[in-house]
Structure formats: C-alpha cells, structure tokens
Amino acid sequence: MVVLIIFISFAGTLLILQQVKGLRRPKALFEENQQLKTQLSMLEERVRTLERIATDKKSNLKETIDSLYLNP
C-alpha cells in the first residue's frame, strides 16, 4: 500500500512538472521569435543600405561608406 502511494505521488509529480514545462515553452518561443524579428529588421536595413550603395552615383559612395563606419 505504501509503495502504491509513493508511486502515485511520483507519477503525479512528473505529470505536474511536464505541464509546467509545457506552459513555459510558448513564452520561450515568443521571446525567440521577437529576437529573430529584430535581427531580421537589422539585416533588411543593411541590405537596403548595400543596395543603395551599389546603385548610387560614385560621388556619394565615399560619404555613404564613411557614415556606415560612424553609425554601426
């Protein structure tokens, strides 16, 4: 009887821990998603800048490159 109570307690504890772990996961996924969105925005801005450099007249090229070093 004591063994049965211990087994049920142990099984219940495992089930509760799995539920708590499952509740935390969406929050972690949300945070990771936000970080990836931020990183994507930064990369898109860099690509826009590189496209502008590639298509701009050469007279503006030096100024644009210099501004990139001043504003990383």
Side-chain angles (χ1 to χ4, degrees), residues 2-57:
V2 173
V3 174
L4 183 61
I5 293 172
I6 292 173
F7 177 75
I8 292 172
S9 298
F10 182 72
T13 302
L14 288 178
L15 289 173
I16 290 171
L17 289 175
Q18 286 178 348
Q19 291 296 324
V20 169
K21 186 178 180 182
L23 292 175
R24 290 183 186 165
R25 187 169 181 201
K27 183 179 179 184
L29 291 175
F30 176 77
E31 290 173 356
E32 181 182 5
N33 191 24
Q34 292 297 81
Q35 290 173 346
L36 290 173
K37 284 181 180 181
T38 302
Q39 185 178 15
L40 179 61
S41 296
M42 291 170 50
L43 291 173
E44 287 174 340
E45 180 61 33
R46 292 181 75 174
V47 168
R48 277 194 289 278
T49 301
L50 291 172
E51 288 173 343
R52 190 176 68 244
I53 290 171
T55 58
D56 273 354
K57 295 179 183 178

Side-chain angles (χ1 to χ4, degrees), residues 57-69:
K57 295 179 183 178
K58 291 189 178 198
S59 61
N60 294 332
L61 183 61
K62 183 180 182 328
E63 293 172 10
T64 304
I65 291 173
D66 289 340
S67 71
L68 290 175
Y69 286 112

